[in-house]
Amino acid sequence: MSQSSVEVEKKIESLLPYFNTGAFGAELEKLSTDLDTPTKFFIRSEISRRMKPCDREIDLRGKVPGDVRKYKLHGKICWVDDLALNHYRKRIKLYKGHLTLGLWEELQPPECELKRLKDKKGRSNGLNKDQLAAHYFENSTLFRRSETRYKVFSLVTVLLDDGSIVHGKTLDLSPSGIRVKAASAFSFRVGNTITVRFTQLAEESGYTQLAEGIKYQIIRIKKDMHCEHFIEIGLKAETQIPAINDILAQRSRQIDKKLSTQSDHELDAIQHAGMQLSVVNGSAALPIFLEQSVIRYAMLNSKNKHIWDYWHDGEQHMLNQLLSPERLSLLAKHQSLHVFTYTQTKGTTKYFVTASSQEVSPDLHALLCQLGASSPTWRVFRLDLNSLAQLPPSNTNTDRDKLSHIITIHDLTFSVLADDYRCKRTTNPDTSQLSPFTRKPTRIDDIELIETDVQSPFAALLRHYFAHSLTSAHYFLQKSSTELTVYGFLISSLAPLLNQILKVNDQTESLTLKPIFHRHFYELMKNMMTKKGSLSGVNDELYVAILEQGNGQNRVVIRCKTDLKTTEERANFVKLAKRNGAFIAVRNHLYHTPSLFTFMDRNLWGKLQLNASKKRGLQHSLEQVCLAGTLTDITEEVLIRFNLH
């Protein structure tokens, strides 16, 4: 609709209450002084058309995705969903209490929704942008419930603060809380208070007060795993409800507790643990476990072995070149270091030239990059240090064997942009200045290697610490017969800026790839799905500018290497982003993964109390996960690269 059409629509809305009143003509003249005669005639004719009485039936069955119920409106049987019913209640007064042609048209679903429903089965392969969002699991908030929730499927009516009436169904019930499934189209917000009327439960139990309504606070909102048009709402009772306690007490006596109790938490916990195990087995980061300053263990998988191989010549471990006592002391101070390295060969001896950005001056760092970035042995690593005592404790009955710290080594090398490290060049470089950082390999005590998939209590303990030391955001993609969708996310916490950008809103526990979605992002996924991608995975860099628009609104601009073709263009984009808002650089590592069902705990899965049909559906969904991705914030490294830190 053009701007003029929008203005005309506003005037029509303003004039509807005056139709068939003596004030209509005067109001029309007052609101249309800036309009020409044909437009005035159109407004008068359109209002007359919309206010014309209508005797058409209202039947939305098969036209909307939500549940449709039967009502008697204006003496006719009508079939409408909650969205249409609430719209009718809010607009009927405007149409003077009559069903008019205008109101009837407003109750019909938009043409785009009808088309979407008709075309749903015919979608082409690819990533549907409507499916970029999914529930996230947060490592820092995994917990166990202190009370049992009973499966109670009962119809309820939910009353919102704005007067909307929403029909829903309980999924489980406890003395202090409830989980309800309802339409996602309404404005549910975490922290809001709503009223729940237990209409069916009141009739079945005889506790009529339940139908009068009970106040609950929304504490959690989660997208329904089977249909995007519904959400699951976690509610906390403001006070104890004796009638609910009595009903649950009766049910616990009548039904086997093992069959009647099952909350969504057990299901979430199994999926959460499975995602953690998948991430550990597919992570390209290398975890090193220390006893104070002594390297004891390294945990390997097929994705991070290249880091180990870089510091190993087949006979000697050379991690002491990277983790020297001096650098460990510096790492303890800063918690994170960016280390730049390459190798030189003199005769038959290989030397490592290695320095962190904190160990050298800007000029010496530029010299290191100028000489090293052109070498095929050039590498950029980020070292993250965590004290094991500060990580969440493991439920594994295994002592950590005097281990004190974990260092996670991330390989941030992106060879296609190696010239970016040489943007500040030195004429007639004095290579002798790098002598203090050039070292000959020396043998160190043996490091015990443990594969990530080894099944032992101690390996499980190391996997636990590794999973909780990772700060990247991980996402999982599933492939159905017609489309590629995001299945879920695993994050350390919501605190990092990247995760805040990915957060859908405060209403749901969902993240979305939409803020950083780029056409090149889609191409990577498509190539991986068609087996064109590397078996070890593919990397890409995304530059994200968050520009302030005023009124608390931001505009997100995304660029990748195909958009910014030169070092100068990339550096200028970073400068402009920092000047006009905020900048974040993201490394996207996409790789093939076994299905998530492969990583489910079979013992816990066997104990999961779900009906057979739902359990098979969940297993099928987990088996459809075929790709995983890691989003790493590399902003600091990019700023170092362009001498902007």
Side-chain angles (χ1 to χ4, degrees):
M1 181 179 285
S2 66
Q3 184 62 35
S4 59
S5 298
V6 172
E7 292 301 320
V8 168
E9 181 61 30
K10 287 181 180 179
K11 295 181 188 301
I12 292 174
E13 282 287 307
S14 300
L15 289 168
L16 282 176
Y18 297 100
F19 183 74
N20 271 350
T21 68
F24 180 77
E27 289 295 324
L28 176 61
E29 287 300 320
K30 183 166 62 175
L31 290 174
S32 58
T33 55
D34 58 337
L35 301 178
D36 55 27
T37 301
T39 304
K40 291 180 183 179
F41 178 77
F42 169 78
I43 290 176
R44 185 185 292 274
S45 301
E46 179 62 15
I47 292 175
S48 298
R49 188 190 71 82
R50 294 188 189 186
M51 298 301 289
K52 183 179 179 181
C54 177
D55 60 356
R56 298 183 188 181
E57 67 173 8
I58 305 175
D59 190 349
L60 303 186
R61 289 177 292 183
K63 299 179 181 179
V64 293
D67 294 331
V68 174
R69 293 176 176 81
K70 182 170 69 172
Y71 299 91
K72 191 171 184 179
L73 303 175
H74 304 282
K76 292 181 175 292
I77 298 298
C78 302
W79 294 87
V80 296
D81 63 352
D82 284 348
L83 203 59
L85 178 65
N86 282 283
H87 186 82
Y88 169 85
R89 292 176 59 246
K90 292 176 181 178
R91 300 283 285 179
I92 187 65
K93 185 177 180 180
L94 181 67
Y95 287 99
K96 304 184 183 302
H98 300 291
L99 178 62
T100 67
L101 184 59
L103 181 56
W104 182 89
E105 290 175 345
E106 291 180 18
L107 297 178
Q108 303 306 304
E111 287 298 319
C112 59
E113 179 68 14
L114 289 173
K115 185 178 187 300
R116 191 193 65 77
L117 288 173
K118 292 177 181 178
D119 294 345
K120 188 173 181 180
K121 294 184 179 180
R123 289 176 181 164
S124 60
N125 290 346
L127 188 64
N128 178 1
K129 289 190 177 183
D130 293 333
Q131 299 295 331
L132 291 170
H135 180 67
Y136 68 85
F137 294 89
E138 188 175 355
N139 284 338
S140 61
T141 59
L142 187 60
F143 64 94
R144 293 284 178 184
R145 293 197 184 277
S146 58
E147 64 179 10
T148 296
R149 286 202 167 189
Y150 291 80
K151 274 193 175 296
V152 177
F153 300 105
S154 181
L155 299 179
V156 295
T157 301
V158 178
L159 306 181
L160 303 185
D161 288 343
D162 64 0
S164 297
I165 299 175
V166 184
H167 293 87
K169 178 175 69 176
T170 64
L171 300 177
D172 56 41
L173 189 62
S174 75
S176 63
I178 182 178
R179 188 162 57 105
V180 173
K181 180 178 179 180
S184 61
F186 293 89
S187 182
F188 294 100
R189 294 183 179 276
V190 173
N192 282 8
T193 298
I194 61 175
T195 301
V196 179
R197 292 177 177 171
F198 294 87
T199 50
Q200 182 180 347
L201 202 57
E203 182 178 347
E204 293 173 349
S205 66
Y207 289 97
T208 56
Q209 64 268 36
L210 293 178
E212 297 173 3
I214 297 171
K215 295 286 187 182
Y216 283 90
Q217 184 183 36
I218 301 175
I219 59 173
R220 183 185 188 192
I221 300 175
K222 177 182 175 183
K223 293 179 67 175
D224 183 78
M225 70 172 67
H226 303 296
C227 181
E228 64 189 44
H229 301 289
F230 294 97
I231 53 176
E232 297 177 7
I233 311 164
L235 302 172
K236 180 182 179 181
E238 294 190 342
T239 60
Q240 284 289 319
I241 307 126
I244 295 292
N245 293 341
D246 291 347
I247 292 171
L248 294 181
Q250 293 172 16
R251 295 204 173 204
S252 66
R253 291 192 296 268
Q254 296 170 357
I255 307 174
D256 183 354
K257 190 175 183 180
K258 290 184 179 180
L259 296 177
S260 64
T261 62
Q262 179 66 49
S263 75
D264 61 332
H265 174 67
E266 282 72 22
L267 179 59
D268 283 354
I270 293 174
Q271 294 184 88
H272 190 163
M275 285 183 176
Q276 281 189 340
L277 189 57
S278 173
V279 165
V280 167
N281 279 274
S283 176
L286 175 67
I288 303 294
F289 296 88
L290 285 75
E291 181 183 326
Q292 303 309 323
S293 61
V294 180
I295 303 172
R296 291 301 189 198
Y297 303 97
M299 188 160 247
L300 294 187
N301 61 37
S302 61
K303 302 292 193 302
N304 66 18
K305 190 174 181 296
H306 69 282
I307 300 178
W308 173 261
D309 290 342
Y310 184 82
W311 298 101
H312 188 274
D313 66 356
E315 296 181 359
Q316 297 186 90
H317 309 299
M318 294 172 285
L319 278 172
N320 60 330
Q321 310 301 306
L322 177 65
L323 304 176
S324 63
E326 299 81 9
R327 193 164 292 131
L328 287 176
S329 297
L330 195 61
L331 184 57
K333 178 181 178 181
H334 295 281
Q335 300 300 302
S336 183
L337 291 177
H338 288 86
V339 178
F340 305 83
T341 185
Y342 67 101
T343 63
Q344 295 177 331
T345 302
K346 297 180 180 180
T348 59
T349 304
K350 180 167 65 174
Y351 294 84
F352 284 87
V353 184
T354 306
S356 71
S357 55
Q358 282 85 356
E359 294 172 293
V360 294
S361 66
D363 289 339
L364 195 53
H365 178 262
L367 175 61
L368 173 66
C369 292
Q370 181 178 340
L371 297 176
S374 59
S375 169
T377 63
W378 171 252
R379 296 291 185 275
V380 180
F381 297 107
R382 191 184 77 205
L383 312 180
D384 294 334
L385 176 70
N386 282 282
S387 169
L388 299 187
Q390 295 178 352
L391 294 177
S394 170
N395 57 9
T396 304
N397 296 322
T398 302
D399 184 73
R400 66 180 190 223
D401 193 32
K402 299 181 180 179
L403 296 178
S404 60
H405 295 82
I406 176 175
I407 295 176
T408 310
I409 306 175
H410 302 267
D411 186 354
L412 303 185
T413 312
F414 200 36
S415 57
V416 295
L417 299 181
D419 280 347
D420 287 1
Y421 296 97
R422 308 174 70 194
C423 59
K424 183 179 179 181
R425 304 200 177 197
T426 304
T427 57
N428 302 317
D430 181 5
T431 58
S432 65
Q433 296 181 66
L434 294 175
S435 296
F437 305 98
T438 305
R439 298 182 182 181
K440 178 181 177 181
T442 57
R443 174 178 283 278
I444 61 174
D445 293 335
D446 286 340
I447 303 171
E448 184 174 344
L449 301 181
I450 299 179
E451 299 286 342
T452 55
D453 57 357
V454 168
Q455 299 303 310
S456 73
F458 188 66
L461 178 67
L462 297 189
R463 283 195 294 268
H464 168 83
Y465 286 131
F466 183 25
H468 284 275
S469 69
L470 295 172
T471 58
S472 301
H474 308 274
Y475 61 92
F476 299 86
L477 301 172
Q478 63 179 0
K479 179 70 165 64
S480 66
S481 58
T482 58
E483 60 187 6
L484 188 66
T485 62
V486 179
Y487 178 82
F489 293 85
L490 179 67
I491 60 174
S492 58
S493 73
L494 281 174
L497 176 60
L498 174 59
N499 295 343
Q500 293 177 33
I501 294 172
L502 300 180
K503 186 79 168 71
V504 172
N505 51 49
D506 293 331
Q507 300 180 44
T508 65
E509 292 185 346
S510 298
L511 298 182
T512 178
L513 295 177
K514 187 175 181 180
I516 61 169
F517 192 75
H518 187 279
R519 64 181 182 279
H520 192 60
F521 201 151
Y522 170 73
E523 290 299 324
L524 288 178
M525 295 176 177
K526 186 171 70 172
N527 290 339
M528 291 293 286
M529 286 304 304
T530 56
K531 308 297 183 183
K532 294 179 183 179
S534 168
L535 294 178
S536 61
V538 292
N539 288 318
D540 191 26
E541 279 190 7
L542 299 171
Y543 289 2
V544 182
I546 307 165
L547 307 177
E548 299 175 0
Q549 297 291 97
N551 299 322
Q553 300 296 315
N554 294 325
R555 182 167 67 95
V556 178
V557 179
I558 310 163
R559 296 291 183 266
C560 70
K561 65 178 185 294
T562 57
D563 302 310
L564 307 171
K565 300 184 182 302
T566 67
T567 298
E568 183 179 6
E569 288 179 350
R570 289 186 284 274
N572 286 337
F573 181 86
V574 176
K575 293 175 185 176
L576 288 172
K578 286 171 62 66
R579 184 184 308 154
N580 297 302
F583 168 75
I584 183 171
V586 180
R587 173 69 53 80
N588 179 29
H589 175 63
L590 186 65
Y591 58 94
H592 290 283
T593 181
S595 77
L596 272 184
F597 188 71
T598 305
F599 300 102
M600 296 296 111
D601 186 310
R602 292 298 191 268
N603 184 41
L604 294 177
W605 180 264
K607 296 178 181 178
L608 191 62
Q609 298 298 323
L610 292 174
N611 66 63
S613 176
K614 187 173 182 180
K615 201 168 184 178
R616 283 195 301 270
L618 177 59
Q619 178 176 340
H620 178 73
S621 182
L622 292 167
E623 289 174 341
Q624 294 302 305
V625 174
C626 55
L627 291 178
T630 302
L631 300 172
T632 304
D633 184 342
I634 60 167
T635 306
E636 185 177 355
E637 188 272 326
V638 169
L639 296 180
I640 293 173
R641 190 189 305 176
F642 294 120
N643 299 297
L644 297 174
H645 60 295

